[in-house]
Amino acid sequence: MNKKLAAVLSGGSVLLMALSGCSDDGDKKVNDWAKKVCDQVQPQLTKIANANASIQQATSDSSKPADVQKTDAAAFQSISDAYKALGGAVDGAGAPPGDDGEKTQKEAVSELNATSAAYAGLKADVDDLDTKDQAKFADGLKGVADELDKLSTSGDEALQKLQSGDVGAAMAKQPGCQRPKTSAPAETGSGEPSTEPSAEKSSS
């Protein structure tokens, strides 16, 4: 019942969670900016990863609808809060060095805030599900999963731009922008391996 939701979450992209790469020391201003952002990012990435893991752990067919609802709603609220905090981190760091830095920053913050609002909407949708009728609940959960699928594939051009070039390379070197280690299972609730890219640093 909750398996599709877990599969979508596992396959979805999360800002900065998969940054990897190598580069030279580069510009000090770029590295300083990246550190300022990434130092605030890690707690939020951990929050998102733990929320995803809690949904994956609630994928058993024997899970009661009320328990699934409670778990999923809490997870979506946590993810929403994390994205809002990520937006605040990027906003508070100021414009990154380079061409169109201010424009890139504003667009990235806007996308993060929009994602936060979208997850808050999913939380509200889960709260409204009928847990007394298992068939209706399953159908409702499928609708939530469909919305989540759309969200995970929606445009994130500004975030990609923020993570490109010298700024992206500098962020990739920061420990705070690496994927956090969690107790999340290696496979999704659908039995398929996670499609998330590894955050391991590549060798130069």
Side-chain angles (χ1 to χ4, degrees), residues 14-16 79-80 82-91 105-119 158-159 162:
V14 178
L15 168 72
L16 306 177
I79 295 172
S80 175
Y83 272 104
K84 187 167 186 175
L86 287 170
V90 175
D91 188 36
Q105 177 207 21
K106 287 181 178 179
E107 290 177 349
V109 170
S110 178
E111 283 183 358
L112 286 165
N113 288 337
T115 300
S116 172
Y119 274 102
L159 297 179
L162 185 71

